[in-house]
Amino acid sequence: MYDYLIVGAGLYGATAARQLTDAGKTVLVIDKRNHIAGNVYTEKVEGIHFHKYGAHIFHTNNAEVWNYVQRFAPFNRFTNSPVANYKGELFSLPFNMYTFNKMWGVVTPEEAALKIAEQRKEITNRPQNLEEQAISLVGRDIYEKLIKGYTEKQWGRDCKNLPAFIIKRLPVRLTFDNNYFDALYQGIPVGGYTKMVENMLSGIEVRLGVDFLEHKDEVMAQVRKVIYTGSIDAFYRFSLGTLEYRSVRFENEILDIPNFQGNAAVNYTDRETPWTRIIEHKWFEFGKDENGNDLPKTIISKEYSSEWKSGDEPYYPINDEKNGVLYAKYRVLAEQEKDVVFGGRLGEYKYYDMDQVIAAALQKSREMLKC
Ligand code: UDP
């Protein structure tokens, strides 16, 4: 009998497994996939750490979490500065003086601020949805060219029907600073995320290719507690209804050229281009292999967003009102469980970043060890 069964070998599961094991508990980790690391999984292709489930850039303001991950991997100095491509016109992201200069020809922060102030006048109330929030942050021109098309492709919903908080993830700056994240600490684990998670799970029993939900009742009888990081609605066999998610599909290509787009991420912000962004993986590690040599080939991934349906991988919870109401009902069931803890993006139906997932798992592990 194990003290804990951890369902899912992603960042939440790996963090909880590490903490509980180090506190002397017996832990078994299972995952239905045939690899660890969940959606942060990387594999080496042509000498490049390929982010199979999409780009992951670690960033945080939480010193505890930053120190924690350093135990499992050294991090490089990668700073995310995506470029937006709107019908062939390129803009710097996030929204900063380079963006405002290209959009309006303004040169000083004062001019940029005036332009934004003028354009945000159309929003007179407190923003009620993503469209109003975006216009009130950066004005209509930027909304139309850099936000509307991208957001509607990514979420498959009108910006008027999306929650305002999504766009608040992006900084708006009156400085020449293309760093996408307002984070004190940022980087990519050298050697890949898979290696980092492998180090987190070192000495811990992991069984891959095991579908918990298929064997739920028998498995739960053999363990004291379960930490479940899959979708909460799937856990309850969708008995109250199905929560909505966005899924992502990638078209990957290995190209026999050294440089396709000169940047890790280019966002296609118009409505017509069918993909939302193209990732060129080698630039997460500056185009070099571990010995510092230039890599001759490159790998790119075109990212397409779609509505999740059974059989797809869920990536993004859709935190709108309707799903919020349904999630709250599942939450009531979850709170009645004495021996099951739900964690992570899918377990908590929350648009978590990696650092928030680790922070939540550290916190939960502490609580569990207290009782
Ligand atoms: N966003 C946008 N234009 C961009 C990049 C992002 O409008 O070029 C908006 C969009 O609504 C998106 C949100 O900002 O859903 C958050 O983007 P982020 O890059 O944080 O999303 P993730 O990397 O998690 O997919």
Side-chain angles (χ1 to χ4, degrees), residues 84 93 130 146-147 150-151 154-155 166-167 169-170 180 267 269 277 316 345 351:
L93 292 173
L130 197 150
L146 303 183
I147 298 174
Y150 185 89
T151 302
Q154 179 172 1
W155 296 97
I166 293 177
I167 198 71
R169 288 165 63 87
L170 303 196
Y180 195 63
N267 294 356
T269 57
R277 55 187 162 192
Y316 296 92
R345 239 193 211 203
Y351 190 3

Side-chain angles (χ1 to χ4, degrees), residues 226-244:
V226 175
I227 299 174
Y228 173 83
T229 69
S231 312
I232 188 167
D233 53 344
F235 183 92
Y236 290 109
R237 303 192 198 288
F238 306 101
S239 56
L240 303 177
T242 311
L243 288 166
E244 293 174 307

Side-chain angles (χ1 to χ4, degrees), residues 2 21 23 51 115 122 161 171 174 181 202 228 278 317 343:
Y2 292 91
T21 303
H51 295 213
K115 196 83 193 168
E122 67 171 285
N161 298 327
L174 292 172
F181 299 119
S202 117
Y228 173 83
I278 301 183

Side-chain angles (χ1 to χ4, degrees), residues 55 57 59 80 82-85 93 95 130 134 142-143 145-152 154-155 159 162-163 165-170 180-181 248 266-269 276-277 303 316 345 351-353:
I57 299 139
H59 58 99
N80 192 26
V83 170
N85 181 327
L93 292 173
F95 312 119
L130 197 150
I142 290 181
Y143 170 67
K145 282 192 170 176
L146 303 183
I147 298 174
K148 190 174 194 299
Y150 185 89
T151 302
E152 294 188 353
Q154 179 172 1
W155 296 97
C159 287
L162 285 166
F165 82 87
I166 293 177
I167 198 71
K168 286 203 215 144
R169 288 165 63 87
L170 303 196
Y180 195 63
F181 299 119
V248 189
V266 176
N267 294 356
Y268 285 76
T269 57
T276 48
R277 55 187 162 192
E303 186 171 326
Y316 296 92
R345 239 193 211 203
Y351 190 3
Y352 267 142
D353 286 331

